[in-house]
Amino acid sequence: MDGSGSGVRHFLARALDRDGRIIKFAAGGSQRIAVLLQGAYPQADWNRPQTWTAATNTVTVRRPMSNADMRDAIQRMELRAAGLEAELAFERERHHELTTARNFADSDAAGYIDRTGLEGP
């Protein structure tokens, strides 16, 4: 609704890379791209969701997702989540190793390392 109580329609665009991950726009970018696509394809029915394909430079009515599409999308997201979790675990371990090494070096330099039982006879 605008200030007068009249309804105002806003169109938005969403972009995906070839792996299906969302590409983030700068502020206002989604609306700007939607306006550009509407200008380039005035014959399209913009009351229905549209899909623009860069490879073919075509706009088509987006079909509803089937159960198979949803399962495929969920599987891709689960794989991506697993990869991100592995990256996070690696970085946490690396951070721990670096922190431990720094703490050990600081303690060693200050003479605080207890070497009882570590040094040979």
Side-chain angles (χ1 to χ4, degrees), residues 4-41:
S4 69
S6 299
V8 178
R9 235 177 153 169
H10 293 280
F11 292 91
L12 303 173
R14 181 178 69 170
L16 306 174
D17 66 13
R18 83 175 51 191
D19 296 322
R21 292 180 293 219
I22 294 175
I23 298 171
K24 295 183 182 180
F25 296 120
S30 174
Q31 287 181 323
R32 179 72 181 131
I33 289 174
V35 167
L36 291 171
L37 286 170
Q38 287 172 328
Y41 300 94

mmCIF file of all heavy atoms in Angstrom, residues 4-41:
data_model
loop_
_atom_site.group_PDB
_atom_site.id
_atom_site.type_symbol
_atom_site.label_atom_id
_atom_site.label_comp_id
_atom_site.label_asym_id
_atom_site.label_seq_id
_atom_site.Cartn_x
_atom_site.Cartn_y
_atom_site.Cartn_z
ATOM 1 N N SER A 4 -1.610 6.736 0.102
ATOM 2 C CA SER A 4 -3.020 7.042 -0.134
ATOM 3 C C SER A 4 -3.923 5.842 0.090
ATOM 4 O O SER A 4 -5.132 5.950 -0.023
ATOM 5 C CB SER A 4 -3.203 7.557 -1.574
ATOM 6 O OG SER A 4 -2.973 6.491 -2.493
ATOM 7 N N GLY A 5 -3.347 4.685 0.362
ATOM 8 C CA GLY A 5 -4.135 3.476 0.564
ATOM 9 C C GLY A 5 -4.277 2.637 -0.689
ATOM 10 O O GLY A 5 -4.897 1.593 -0.667
ATOM 11 N N SER A 6 -3.715 3.118 -1.799
ATOM 12 C CA SER A 6 -3.759 2.347 -3.037
ATOM 13 C C SER A 6 -2.683 1.274 -3.010
ATOM 14 O O SER A 6 -1.609 1.473 -2.453
ATOM 15 C CB SER A 6 -3.521 3.265 -4.242
ATOM 16 O OG SER A 6 -4.521 4.243 -4.320
ATOM 17 N N GLY A 7 -2.990 0.144 -3.632
ATOM 18 C CA GLY A 7 -2.015 -0.937 -3.705
ATOM 19 C C GLY A 7 -0.903 -0.605 -4.691
ATOM 20 O O GLY A 7 -1.140 -0.028 -5.743
ATOM 21 N N VAL A 8 0.317 -0.920 -4.323
ATOM 22 C CA VAL A 8 1.478 -0.710 -5.193
ATOM 23 C C VAL A 8 2.152 -2.063 -5.378
ATOM 24 O O VAL A 8 2.416 -2.769 -4.404
ATOM 25 C CB VAL A 8 2.478 0.295 -4.567
ATOM 26 C CG1 VAL A 8 3.687 0.448 -5.450
ATOM 27 C CG2 VAL A 8 1.809 1.621 -4.312
ATOM 28 N N ARG A 9 2.410 -2.409 -6.623
ATOM 29 C CA ARG A 9 3.050 -3.682 -6.918
ATOM 30 C C ARG A 9 4.544 -3.502 -7.084
ATOM 31 O O ARG A 9 4.997 -2.598 -7.769
ATOM 32 C CB ARG A 9 2.491 -4.206 -8.221
ATOM 33 C CG ARG A 9 1.935 -5.553 -8.064
ATOM 34 C CD ARG A 9 1.336 -5.961 -9.352
ATOM 35 N NE ARG A 9 1.427 -7.386 -9.326
ATOM 36 C CZ ARG A 9 0.847 -8.160 -10.167
ATOM 37 N NH1 ARG A 9 0.170 -7.671 -11.147
ATOM 38 N NH2 ARG A 9 0.961 -9.450 -10.059
ATOM 39 N N HIS A 10 5.308 -4.389 -6.475
ATOM 40 C CA HIS A 10 6.763 -4.381 -6.629
ATOM 41 C C HIS A 10 7.171 -5.726 -7.202
ATOM 42 O O HIS A 10 6.742 -6.769 -6.731
ATOM 43 C CB HIS A 10 7.465 -4.170 -5.284
ATOM 44 C CG HIS A 10 7.251 -2.826 -4.698
ATOM 45 N ND1 HIS A 10 7.955 -1.715 -5.096
ATOM 46 C CD2 HIS A 10 6.393 -2.398 -3.745
ATOM 47 C CE1 HIS A 10 7.556 -0.675 -4.420
ATOM 48 N NE2 HIS A 10 6.595 -1.065 -3.584
ATOM 49 N N PHE A 11 7.997 -5.674 -8.216
ATOM 50 C CA PHE A 11 8.519 -6.896 -8.815
ATOM 51 C C PHE A 11 9.962 -7.062 -8.372
ATOM 52 O O PHE A 11 10.708 -6.090 -8.293
ATOM 53 C CB PHE A 11 8.446 -6.819 -10.347
ATOM 54 C CG PHE A 11 7.039 -6.827 -10.863
ATOM 55 C CD1 PHE A 11 6.353 -5.646 -11.066
ATOM 56 C CD2 PHE A 11 6.409 -8.029 -11.137
ATOM 57 C CE1 PHE A 11 5.058 -5.654 -11.539
ATOM 58 C CE2 PHE A 11 5.110 -8.047 -11.610
ATOM 59 C CZ PHE A 11 4.430 -6.851 -11.809
ATOM 60 N N LEU A 12 10.337 -8.281 -8.081
ATOM 61 C CA LEU A 12 11.689 -8.589 -7.640
ATOM 62 C C LEU A 12 12.294 -9.664 -8.528
ATOM 63 O O LEU A 12 11.579 -10.477 -9.118
ATOM 64 C CB LEU A 12 11.682 -9.087 -6.190
ATOM 65 C CG LEU A 12 11.058 -8.145 -5.168
ATOM 66 C CD1 LEU A 12 10.967 -8.829 -3.823
ATOM 67 C CD2 LEU A 12 11.854 -6.860 -5.068
ATOM 68 N N ALA A 13 13.608 -9.672 -8.605
ATOM 69 C CA ALA A 13 14.317 -10.700 -9.359
ATOM 70 C C ALA A 13 15.209 -11.478 -8.401
ATOM 71 O O ALA A 13 15.674 -10.946 -7.402
ATOM 72 C CB ALA A 13 15.167 -10.057 -10.458
ATOM 73 N N ARG A 14 15.412 -12.714 -8.734
ATOM 74 C CA ARG A 14 16.342 -13.549 -7.977
ATOM 75 C C ARG A 14 17.255 -14.197 -8.993
ATOM 76 O O ARG A 14 16.807 -14.717 -10.017
ATOM 77 C CB ARG A 14 15.577 -14.614 -7.196
ATOM 78 C CG ARG A 14 16.482 -15.511 -6.372
ATOM 79 C CD ARG A 14 15.707 -16.512 -5.593
ATOM 80 N NE ARG A 14 15.125 -17.477 -6.515
ATOM 81 C CZ ARG A 14 14.535 -18.588 -6.145
ATOM 82 N NH1 ARG A 14 14.391 -18.860 -4.884
ATOM 83 N NH2 ARG A 14 14.043 -19.420 -7.040
ATOM 84 N N ALA A 15 18.555 -14.177 -8.730
ATOM 85 C CA ALA A 15 19.529 -14.762 -9.660
ATOM 86 C C ALA A 15 20.206 -15.956 -8.993
ATOM 87 O O ALA A 15 20.518 -15.923 -7.808
ATOM 88 C CB ALA A 15 20.565 -13.720 -10.057
ATOM 89 N N LEU A 16 20.424 -16.986 -9.806
ATOM 90 C CA LEU A 16 21.100 -18.190 -9.327
ATOM 91 C C LEU A 16 22.314 -18.448 -10.199
ATOM 92 O O LEU A 16 22.277 -18.214 -11.411
ATOM 93 C CB LEU A 16 20.163 -19.398 -9.412
ATOM 94 C CG LEU A 16 18.808 -19.263 -8.722
ATOM 95 C CD1 LEU A 16 17.948 -20.486 -9.021
ATOM 96 C CD2 LEU A 16 18.969 -19.073 -7.235
ATOM 97 N N ASP A 17 23.387 -18.935 -9.584
ATOM 98 C CA ASP A 17 24.542 -19.319 -10.392
ATOM 99 C C ASP A 17 24.281 -20.706 -10.975
ATOM 100 O O ASP A 17 23.230 -21.293 -10.752
ATOM 101 C CB ASP A 17 25.847 -19.252 -9.591
ATOM 102 C CG ASP A 17 25.923 -20.265 -8.451
ATOM 103 O OD1 ASP A 17 25.096 -21.205 -8.404
ATOM 104 O OD2 ASP A 17 26.817 -20.121 -7.607
ATOM 105 N N ARG A 18 25.232 -21.246 -11.725
ATOM 106 C CA ARG A 18 24.991 -22.524 -12.399
ATOM 107 C C ARG A 18 24.813 -23.680 -11.426
ATOM 108 O O ARG A 18 24.285 -24.719 -11.786
ATOM 109 C CB ARG A 18 26.077 -22.805 -13.419
ATOM 110 C CG ARG A 18 27.334 -23.410 -12.873
ATOM 111 C CD ARG A 18 28.315 -23.779 -13.939
ATOM 112 N NE ARG A 18 28.512 -22.631 -14.809
ATOM 113 C CZ ARG A 18 29.139 -22.654 -15.955
ATOM 114 N NH1 ARG A 18 29.656 -23.758 -16.379
ATOM 115 N NH2 ARG A 18 29.296 -21.583 -16.677
ATOM 116 N N ASP A 19 25.250 -23.512 -10.165
ATOM 117 C CA ASP A 19 25.058 -24.559 -9.159
ATOM 118 C C ASP A 19 23.775 -24.377 -8.361
ATOM 119 O O ASP A 19 23.533 -25.103 -7.403
ATOM 120 C CB ASP A 19 26.256 -24.590 -8.203
ATOM 121 C CG ASP A 19 27.537 -24.975 -8.923
ATOM 122 O OD1 ASP A 19 27.472 -25.837 -9.815
ATOM 123 O OD2 ASP A 19 28.591 -24.399 -8.591
ATOM 124 N N GLY A 20 22.979 -23.361 -8.724
ATOM 125 C CA GLY A 20 21.709 -23.128 -8.039
ATOM 126 C C GLY A 20 21.812 -22.294 -6.787
ATOM 127 O O GLY A 20 20.853 -22.170 -6.046
ATOM 128 N N ARG A 21 22.982 -21.705 -6.531
ATOM 129 C CA ARG A 21 23.154 -20.856 -5.351
ATOM 130 C C ARG A 21 22.708 -19.433 -5.675
ATOM 131 O O ARG A 21 22.942 -18.934 -6.773
ATOM 132 C CB ARG A 21 24.599 -20.856 -4.883
ATOM 133 C CG ARG A 21 25.024 -22.207 -4.321
ATOM 134 C CD ARG A 21 26.443 -22.171 -3.872
ATOM 135 N NE ARG A 21 27.293 -22.001 -5.030
ATOM 136 C CZ ARG A 21 28.445 -22.592 -5.219
ATOM 137 N NH1 ARG A 21 28.925 -23.381 -4.298
ATOM 138 N NH2 ARG A 21 29.156 -22.394 -6.304
ATOM 139 N N ILE A 22 22.091 -18.792 -4.718
ATOM 140 C CA ILE A 22 21.575 -17.437 -4.916
ATOM 141 C C ILE A 22 22.739 -16.454 -5.014
ATOM 142 O O ILE A 22 23.669 -16.486 -4.218
ATOM 143 C CB ILE A 22 20.634 -17.042 -3.763
ATOM 144 C CG1 ILE A 22 19.380 -17.911 -3.801
ATOM 145 C CG2 ILE A 22 20.263 -15.565 -3.841
ATOM 146 C CD1 ILE A 22 18.428 -17.699 -2.655
ATOM 147 N N ILE A 23 22.640 -15.576 -6.009
ATOM 148 C CA ILE A 23 23.606 -14.494 -6.185
ATOM 149 C C ILE A 23 23.011 -13.262 -5.504
ATOM 150 O O ILE A 23 21.883 -12.870 -5.805
ATOM 151 C CB ILE A 23 23.854 -14.208 -7.682
ATOM 152 C CG1 ILE A 23 24.458 -15.445 -8.359
ATOM 153 C CG2 ILE A 23 24.744 -12.981 -7.855
ATOM 154 C CD1 ILE A 23 24.531 -15.345 -9.867
ATOM 155 N N LYS A 24 23.749 -12.663 -4.587
ATOM 156 C CA LYS A 24 23.238 -11.509 -3.853
ATOM 157 C C LYS A 24 23.408 -10.238 -4.671
ATOM 158 O O LYS A 24 24.433 -10.033 -5.302
ATOM 159 C CB LYS A 24 23.960 -11.373 -2.514
ATOM 160 C CG LYS A 24 23.673 -12.526 -1.591
ATOM 161 C CD LYS A 24 24.338 -12.353 -0.259
ATOM 162 C CE LYS A 24 24.049 -13.559 0.614
ATOM 163 N NZ LYS A 24 24.659 -13.445 1.913
ATOM 164 N N PHE A 25 22.378 -9.401 -4.649
ATOM 165 C CA PHE A 25 22.408 -8.115 -5.324
ATOM 166 C C PHE A 25 22.749 -7.015 -4.340
ATOM 167 O O PHE A 25 22.500 -7.142 -3.142
ATOM 168 C CB PHE A 25 21.029 -7.777 -5.913
ATOM 169 C CG PHE A 25 20.560 -8.705 -6.986
ATOM 170 C CD1 PHE A 25 19.385 -9.419 -6.846
ATOM 171 C CD2 PHE A 25 21.281 -8.861 -8.153
ATOM 172 C CE1 PHE A 25 18.937 -10.259 -7.834
ATOM 173 C CE2 PHE A 25 20.833 -9.705 -9.157
ATOM 174 C CZ PHE A 25 19.662 -10.403 -8.995
ATOM 175 N N ALA A 26 23.265 -5.923 -4.859
ATOM 176 C CA ALA A 26 23.424 -4.716 -4.048
ATOM 177 C C ALA A 26 22.022 -4.194 -3.736
ATOM 178 O O ALA A 26 21.041 -4.580 -4.380
ATOM 179 C CB ALA A 26 24.225 -3.671 -4.818
ATOM 180 N N ALA A 27 21.914 -3.301 -2.776
ATOM 181 C CA ALA A 27 20.623 -2.742 -2.388
ATOM 182 C C ALA A 27 19.884 -2.198 -3.618
ATOM 183 O O ALA A 27 20.453 -1.449 -4.401
ATOM 184 C CB ALA A 27 20.812 -1.636 -1.356
ATOM 185 N N GLY A 28 18.642 -2.605 -3.778
ATOM 186 C CA GLY A 28 17.819 -2.150 -4.895
ATOM 187 C C GLY A 28 18.076 -2.877 -6.205
ATOM 188 O O GLY A 28 17.371 -2.658 -7.181
ATOM 189 N N GLY A 29 19.080 -3.734 -6.245
ATOM 190 C CA GLY A 29 19.444 -4.433 -7.471
ATOM 191 C C GLY A 29 18.369 -5.369 -7.981
ATOM 192 O O GLY A 29 18.144 -5.484 -9.182
ATOM 193 N N SER A 30 17.661 -6.039 -7.067
ATOM 194 C CA SER A 30 16.615 -6.980 -7.449
ATOM 195 C C SER A 30 15.500 -6.271 -8.209
ATOM 196 O O SER A 30 15.065 -6.718 -9.272
ATOM 197 C CB SER A 30 16.058 -7.664 -6.203
ATOM 198 O OG SER A 30 14.961 -8.475 -6.531
ATOM 199 N N GLN A 31 15.044 -5.136 -7.683
ATOM 200 C CA GLN A 31 13.981 -4.377 -8.353
ATOM 201 C C GLN A 31 14.468 -3.811 -9.679
ATOM 202 O O GLN A 31 13.746 -3.813 -10.673
ATOM 203 C CB GLN A 31 13.469 -3.251 -7.462
ATOM 204 C CG GLN A 31 12.616 -3.760 -6.317
ATOM 205 C CD GLN A 31 12.099 -2.632 -5.447
ATOM 206 O OE1 GLN A 31 12.791 -1.647 -5.217
ATOM 207 N NE2 GLN A 31 10.886 -2.797 -4.954
ATOM 208 N N ARG A 32 15.705 -3.351 -9.724
ATOM 209 C CA ARG A 32 16.252 -2.769 -10.958
ATOM 210 C C ARG A 32 16.328 -3.818 -12.070
ATOM 211 O O ARG A 32 15.966 -3.555 -13.216
ATOM 212 C CB ARG A 32 17.642 -2.181 -10.677
ATOM 213 C CG ARG A 32 18.296 -1.575 -11.866
ATOM 214 C CD ARG A 32 17.622 -0.269 -12.259
ATOM 215 N NE ARG A 32 18.291 0.272 -13.430
ATOM 216 C CZ ARG A 32 17.654 0.682 -14.506
ATOM 217 N NH1 ARG A 32 16.350 0.677 -14.544
ATOM 218 N NH2 ARG A 32 18.312 1.136 -15.527
ATOM 219 N N ILE A 33 16.788 -5.011 -11.745
ATOM 220 C CA ILE A 33 16.866 -6.077 -12.746
ATOM 221 C C ILE A 33 15.469 -6.470 -13.209
ATOM 222 O O ILE A 33 15.244 -6.695 -14.397
ATOM 223 C CB ILE A 33 17.659 -7.279 -12.203
ATOM 224 C CG1 ILE A 33 19.132 -6.891 -12.105
ATOM 225 C CG2 ILE A 33 17.471 -8.512 -13.075
ATOM 226 C CD1 ILE A 33 20.004 -7.912 -11.472
ATOM 227 N N ALA A 34 14.500 -6.526 -12.281
ATOM 228 C CA ALA A 34 13.121 -6.848 -12.671
ATOM 229 C C ALA A 34 12.596 -5.809 -13.661
ATOM 230 O O ALA A 34 11.973 -6.158 -14.663
ATOM 231 C CB ALA A 34 12.227 -6.915 -11.429
ATOM 232 N N VAL A 35 12.858 -4.536 -13.421
ATOM 233 C CA VAL A 35 12.424 -3.467 -14.330
ATOM 234 C C VAL A 35 13.093 -3.622 -15.697
ATOM 235 O O VAL A 35 12.447 -3.480 -16.744
ATOM 236 C CB VAL A 35 12.723 -2.075 -13.720
ATOM 237 C CG1 VAL A 35 12.576 -0.968 -14.748
ATOM 238 C CG2 VAL A 35 11.820 -1.822 -12.524
ATOM 239 N N LEU A 36 14.395 -3.934 -15.712
ATOM 240 C CA LEU A 36 15.098 -4.128 -16.987
ATOM 241 C C LEU A 36 14.526 -5.301 -17.775
ATOM 242 O O LEU A 36 14.332 -5.211 -18.997
ATOM 243 C CB LEU A 36 16.596 -4.335 -16.736
ATOM 244 C CG LEU A 36 17.364 -3.116 -16.232
ATOM 245 C CD1 LEU A 36 18.777 -3.512 -15.820
ATOM 246 C CD2 LEU A 36 17.397 -2.024 -17.287
ATOM 247 N N LEU A 37 14.250 -6.402 -17.095
ATOM 248 C CA LEU A 37 13.675 -7.566 -17.778
ATOM 249 C C LEU A 37 12.274 -7.264 -18.303
ATOM 250 O O LEU A 37 11.920 -7.658 -19.417
ATOM 251 C CB LEU A 37 13.641 -8.779 -16.843
ATOM 252 C CG LEU A 37 14.996 -9.440 -16.581
ATOM 253 C CD1 LEU A 37 14.876 -10.462 -15.460
ATOM 254 C CD2 LEU A 37 15.539 -10.074 -17.841
ATOM 255 N N GLN A 38 11.481 -6.540 -17.530
ATOM 256 C CA GLN A 38 10.140 -6.187 -17.992
ATOM 257 C C GLN A 38 10.218 -5.277 -19.221
ATOM 258 O O GLN A 38 9.403 -5.403 -20.138
ATOM 259 C CB GLN A 38 9.350 -5.504 -16.875
ATOM 260 C CG GLN A 38 8.932 -6.487 -15.802
ATOM 261 C CD GLN A 38 8.327 -5.809 -14.596
ATOM 262 O OE1 GLN A 38 8.699 -4.692 -14.245
ATOM 263 N NE2 GLN A 38 7.393 -6.489 -13.962
ATOM 264 N N GLY A 39 11.195 -4.381 -19.249
ATOM 265 C CA GLY A 39 11.376 -3.511 -20.409
ATOM 266 C C GLY A 39 11.851 -4.276 -21.630
ATOM 267 O O GLY A 39 11.449 -3.991 -22.760
ATOM 268 N N ALA A 40 12.704 -5.261 -21.421
ATOM 269 C CA ALA A 40 13.243 -6.044 -22.532
ATOM 270 C C ALA A 40 12.231 -7.056 -23.070
ATOM 271 O O ALA A 40 12.288 -7.442 -24.235
ATOM 272 C CB ALA A 40 14.515 -6.768 -22.096
ATOM 273 N N TYR A 41 11.304 -7.495 -22.227
ATOM 274 C CA TYR A 41 10.319 -8.505 -22.612
ATOM 275 C C TYR A 41 8.909 -8.036 -22.247
ATOM 276 O O TYR A 41 8.248 -8.611 -21.376
ATOM 277 C CB TYR A 41 10.616 -9.844 -21.921
ATOM 278 C CG TYR A 41 11.962 -10.391 -22.268
ATOM 279 C CD1 TYR A 41 13.070 -10.142 -21.467
ATOM 280 C CD2 TYR A 41 12.139 -11.146 -23.419
ATOM 281 C CE1 TYR A 41 14.317 -10.629 -21.807
ATOM 282 C CE2 TYR A 41 13.379 -11.649 -23.760
ATOM 283 C CZ TYR A 41 14.464 -11.370 -22.950
ATOM 284 O OH TYR A 41 15.707 -11.856 -23.284
#
